[in-house]
Amino acid sequence: MASDSAAGDARREGGQKPMLARQRDGEGQETGSQEQRQARGGGYFPLSYKEGWSQWWAGLTPAVTEHKVLSFVPYLKKPPTQMQTGNSPPGSQESMDVDQSVDKTAAPVRTTTETDPYGPRQWHSNLVQLAGKNRFLNEFSVERLGEETENNLVMLHGYGAGLGFYYKNFEALSRLPHWKLYALDLLGMGRSSRPSFKIHAKDKEGKVREAESWFVDALEEWRIKKGIEKMTLLGHSLGGYMAVCYALKYPGRLDKLILASPVGIPEDPYAVNEEMPEPGDSSAAAEFEQAELEGGKSIGDKQKGVGASGSSTPPRKPLPKWLTTLWDANISPFSVVRLAGPLGPRLVSGWTSRRFSHLPPEEAQALHDYSYSLFRQRGSGEYALAYILAPGAFARSPLIRRIQGVGRQYLGLHSKPEPDAAASASPSEAPQKIRETGIPIVLMYGDHDWMDVSGGHDAKEKLESEKRKALANATEREKQLDNGSVKVTVVPKAGHHVYLDGHEWFNKDILKEMKDVEERQKRLADVR
């Protein structure tokens, strides 16, 4: 493990105990009744007032906490951590400003075949500048040395999280020859810069598309800057939602799309018809909603809705009054953490104690510290969520209405992330346009995920139906060149964070999907 930073030493000298380990009476416990969880974790907020004040006073920065999380990556004894963002003391609205000084950059760390059985590999933390004011993406990459990179795996995190959450996946997923791995913090989240977020559109659809494009345009700009022609894109939760939007707006750039417990697939009439914030307002409350869902309270066990098959579920139970009040008042959960001051760490412990209770104590503590350090930063990307999701974490523009266009779009510029009916169009309608010939899509869910796997099955049905339309009048050669497929998998013993809860199974399955990309490339090359 990497040696602890001075800030980390100061925190321990202050007497702060691991807030998760001391609460637990067993390993791997994530489910159970509300009473059982409270008995294990000391209630919804297991961190004591004294410990919370200690953590708030220590003021660990995102750079320090990300460094600590990455120190748990096998064979990476000294993680590289760029100090250009997230290195200023918290508490200021400008705490995520960018320092482009050369001495704040991070030199790559290299492993050797003597220290790394899968090496040599290069691990690099980097801040990638985009066009415009205060637009930078935090990037962590793993590159295999001494061989040419032929494929790229790009990983996007979920709402309010950061690339460090993938710390149990980096080593395993960078073993495959000729692949380079990238993990990114979405714009306005993690340790990426946090530019001001404001919606200019007036109509409902325009607001949704503008919020989606805010994220996916940054991803496309990053891809161009890195010189990546095509990539395998993996997104978790909100990252999965954005990955679908990216595929629709920027066709022809993906070898495969992997959606790990994606949010926003099912259709829900309440969400579609819900009033939206006024342009310029800041709001988000999905993390509160997720806490309710994961806590097994009144909303129900899973996110359900009306799918492509037309099936429906009983009417949803009313959302908690406190949740809708926060949502209507345009209050972000992270705003609450920021305003809570010394109470902030204790509030965050209500989520982290349940989410990370199955992990080794030191790792659980590191993830709690990491989460809190990110949650208390200046608001930015978090404010986009109210335009994308309605109360209840259902999409205002459900992906089930659009996902059939993934892999079937016309190649070229698209103004927004929505289907262009390429598969349904006849050659006479657009003879000059070339469209995609399908991409493989994988939807993954945990076996006790709060996202409903039936949404994945409904998406599969729509994608397969679109493929049949696209190939209805195709020649035999066109059928051979088609690369479209879709499957739904369930990760055993995992909840919403499938990549963390069931990381061993997840890593093996993703490696299979990466090898499948190579096999498909060879097959298509032979056909051509």
Side-chain angles (χ1 to χ4, degrees):
M1 303 297 175
S3 61
D4 294 324
S5 66
D9 292 334
R11 180 194 66 187
R12 286 196 303 278
E13 290 170 5
Q16 183 176 344
K17 301 174 184 177
M19 70 93 185
L20 291 166
R22 66 180 180 78
Q23 305 289 344
R24 296 182 295 177
D25 59 4
E27 293 290 335
Q29 300 297 318
E30 187 182 10
T31 58
S33 68
Q34 175 180 332
E35 292 76 14
Q36 289 172 328
R37 285 194 304 275
Q38 288 178 327
R40 285 198 303 267
Y44 279 105
F45 307 110
L47 196 66
S48 71
Y49 290 104
K50 181 179 179 180
E51 291 166 333
W53 187 92
S54 177
Q55 184 175 9
W56 173 80
W57 181 258
L60 298 181
T61 66
V64 168
T65 58
E66 181 185 280
H67 183 92
K68 179 61 178 178
V69 170
L70 293 181
S71 74
F72 294 108
V73 177
Y75 315 121
L76 186 59
K77 303 301 181 183
K78 183 183 177 182
T81 307
Q82 59 87 3
M83 296 293 181
Q84 294 171 277
T85 56
N87 199 41
S88 301
S92 166
Q93 284 297 299
E94 304 303 322
S95 58
M96 287 297 285
D97 274 1
V98 176
D99 184 345
Q100 299 188 64
S101 304
V102 175
D103 61 342
K104 298 294 185 180
T105 60
V109 173
R110 295 180 176 90
T111 58
T112 66
T113 52
E114 288 74 23
T115 60
D116 179 356
Y118 300 96
R121 287 181 279 190
Q122 175 174 286
W123 314 72
H124 193 200
S125 173
N126 188 31
L127 193 67
V128 181
Q129 183 172 5
L130 307 179
K133 183 180 179 181
N134 194 30
R135 296 178 72 248
F136 298 80
L137 292 189
N138 185 36
E139 167 198 291
F140 181 73
S141 63
V142 190
E143 182 178 4
R144 302 182 58 80
L145 300 176
E147 59 186 47
E148 184 178 354
T149 298
E150 298 175 356
N151 283 290
N152 298 278
L153 174 66
V154 178
M155 307 171 74
L156 305 178
H157 60 79
Y159 171 66
L163 60 83
F165 276 57
Y166 285 119
Y167 76 104
K168 284 189 176 292
N169 315 115
F170 292 144
E171 191 282 316
L173 299 184
S174 60
R175 295 177 182 178
L176 204 59
H178 305 292
W179 280 78
K180 185 171 182 178
L181 181 152
Y182 294 93
L184 301 175
D185 282 340
L186 293 170
L187 185 64
M189 295 185 183
R191 284 211 299 142
S192 290
S193 65
R194 301 195 172 216
S196 298
F197 178 85
K198 187 173 182 179
I199 289 291
H200 301 282
K202 301 298 183 182
D203 63 296
K204 177 179 284 189
E205 180 183 315
K207 294 175 184 178
V208 174
R209 299 294 179 260
E210 188 176 344
E212 294 167 346
S213 294
W214 196 78
F215 292 103
V216 301
D217 290 352
L219 176 59
E220 172 65 359
E221 191 176 347
W222 171 86
R223 181 198 66 79
I224 294 172
K225 190 152 191 176
K226 302 301 289 189
I228 297 173
E229 183 64 24
K230 299 187 76 173
M231 57 190 170
T232 293
L233 186 59
L234 187 161
H236 170 253
S237 196
L238 181 66
Y241 180 102
M242 293 303 167
V244 172
C245 292
Y246 177 85
L248 290 170
K249 188 169 184 180
Y250 296 103
R253 297 305 177 187
L254 300 185
D255 289 310
K256 177 174 285 191
L257 180 62
I258 303 175
L259 307 176
S261 190
V263 73
I265 288 182
E267 181 167 337
D268 180 82
Y270 296 97
V272 172
N273 297 319
E274 187 78 24
E275 290 297 319
M276 297 189 72
E278 290 301 314
D281 285 346
S282 298
S283 73
E287 198 67 29
F288 285 125
E289 169 66 6
Q290 178 172 333
E292 285 292 300
L293 287 159
E294 293 181 344
K297 293 185 74 177
S298 62
I299 297 175
D301 294 330
K302 292 181 181 289
Q303 185 195 63
K304 295 178 181 290
V306 179
S309 60
S311 62
S312 62
T313 58
R316 239 185 319 130
K317 295 180 181 179
L319 295 173
K321 180 65 177 177
W322 64 267
L323 174 62
T324 56
T325 299
L326 285 172
W327 198 284
D328 293 341
N330 297 320
I331 297 176
S332 158
F334 305 127
S335 297
V336 175
V337 171
R338 289 189 286 268
L339 293 171
L343 294 177
R346 190 165 188 263
L347 294 177
V348 174
S349 75
W351 180 72
T352 58
S353 63
R354 294 191 294 277
R355 172 47 54 204
F356 307 132
S357 62
H358 63 295
L359 296 172
E362 192 178 5
E363 296 180 29
Q365 183 67 47
L367 285 170
H368 167 77
D369 294 343
Y370 180 52
S371 299
Y372 174 60
S373 72
L374 295 180
F375 292 177
R376 71 185 299 187
Q377 299 305 306
R378 176 183 178 178
S380 176
E382 68 195 68
Y383 298 142
L385 204 67
Y387 300 97
I388 294 170
L389 302 178
F394 286 91
R396 299 185 186 276
S397 179
L399 294 181
I400 196 65
R401 295 182 176 183
R402 298 184 277 163
I403 199 168
Q404 73 277 3
V406 173
R408 303 292 171 186
Q409 302 280 75
Y410 288 119
L411 296 176
L413 295 175
H414 286 65
S415 61
K416 47 192 174 182
E418 60 183 35
D420 58 18
S424 304
S426 65
S428 60
E429 292 177 305
Q432 77 284 6
K433 293 185 178 180
I434 300 175
R435 62 177 172 85
E436 296 176 286
T437 55
I439 60 172
I441 301 171
V442 180
L443 298 105
M444 307 179 74
Y445 296 84
D447 65 358
H448 53 276
D449 202 327
W450 67 278
M451 290 295 171
D452 190 5
V453 69
S454 65
H457 289 297
D458 288 337
K460 178 181 179 182
E461 182 179 331
K462 291 205 70 172
L463 286 159
E464 289 178 339
S465 174
E466 198 72 5
K467 179 176 179 177
R468 288 192 293 271
K469 292 179 184 177
L471 299 180
N473 300 309
T475 64
E476 188 60 34
R477 176 176 169 76
E478 287 172 335
K479 291 179 181 179
Q480 291 176 346
L481 287 172
D482 193 272
N483 197 34
S485 70
V486 57
K487 66 179 178 180
V488 180
T489 62
V490 176
V491 181
K493 299 180 181 179
H496 181 53
H497 292 252
V498 291
Y499 58 91
L500 184 61
D501 301 339
H503 63 93
E504 292 181 348
W505 192 98
F506 180 87
N507 290 341
K508 290 179 181 178
D509 205 55
I510 296 301
L511 283 171
K512 291 178 183 177
E513 296 301 335
M514 293 163 69
K515 292 177 181 177
D516 176 69
V517 169
E518 297 176 339
E519 293 169 0
R520 288 170 180 267
Q521 289 171 341
K522 293 177 182 178
R523 179 184 66 80
L524 292 173
D526 291 340
V527 174
R528 291 189 179 100

